[in-house]
Amino acid sequence: MIKLTRFKYNNNFTLGILDVKGDKFLTLENPYKNNEINKSCIPTGLYCIFKRFSPSKQYNVIEIEDVIDRTYIQFHIGNTSEDSKGCILVGNSIDIKKGFLGNSTDAFNKFIELAEDEQILMIESH
């Protein structure tokens, strides 16, 4: 199981720590805005996940299933909440003042390798 613990919320973004088999990553998402499509992070909860090729991204992503009123929610590469569009970005460093997630490509590549066989994601708030 993959565990995402969200620890910082503001009007511009949501930050979290992602634990995959003991390896930790930082995450950046949109702020919570009533689960609005392309504008909000998804609600906390337990979700099924799977790896798939994303034609829009042109690389493999981890997709989150059964998000109420939402589709194609993914873990993918990106640096700011504008890159998120409701998805979860993965990185290794964060500039909290700017809301900038660093080292996203390297972190995502390691994350997807570790998460390849995982099927469950738990999202909680700290």
Side-chain angles (χ1 to χ4, degrees):
M1 176 172 54
I2 295 173
K3 183 177 175 183
L4 171 58
T5 304
R6 293 173 174 155
F7 66 88
K8 179 164 179 63
Y9 299 85
N10 66 29
N11 291 331
N12 300 311
F13 55 82
T14 300
L15 298 178
I17 297 177
L18 187 63
D19 186 322
V20 186
K21 299 177 182 173
D23 280 282
K24 305 270 195 286
F25 303 90
L26 293 168
T27 61
L28 180 72
E29 304 173 73
N30 291 119
Y32 188 74
K33 294 184 177 179
N34 297 316
N35 201 30
E36 286 184 61
I37 295 170
N38 293 329
K39 296 180 182 177
S40 176
C41 62
I42 63 175
T44 58
L46 203 57
Y47 297 96
C48 293
I49 56 174
F50 65 98
K51 180 180 168 183
R52 76 167 182 89
F53 181 78
S54 169
S56 65
K57 302 283 182 217
Q58 290 295 299
Y59 56 83
N60 287 323
V61 297
I62 299 292
E63 188 161 319
I64 304 167
E65 293 185 291
D66 302 323
V67 178
I68 296 173
D69 299 325
R70 305 276 293 276
T71 57
Y72 301 109
I73 305 299
Q74 306 163 353
F75 284 93
H76 63 79
I77 296 167
N79 301 109
T80 67
S81 61
E82 289 80 30
D83 298 331
S84 172
K85 302 210 186 304
C87 294
I88 304 171
L89 308 178
V90 180
N92 281 333
S93 64
I94 187 77
D95 182 327
I96 292 178
K97 290 181 181 178
K98 294 181 181 179
F100 185 87
L101 187 67
N103 304 314
S104 185
T105 300
D106 290 344
F108 180 81
N109 288 337
K110 184 173 182 184
F111 160 72
I112 199 152
E113 181 182 312
L114 290 168
E116 184 168 5
D117 298 325
E118 296 294 330
Q119 297 178 357
I120 304 292
L121 167 67
M122 179 174 42
I123 300 177
E124 62 184 17
S125 294
H126 185 293

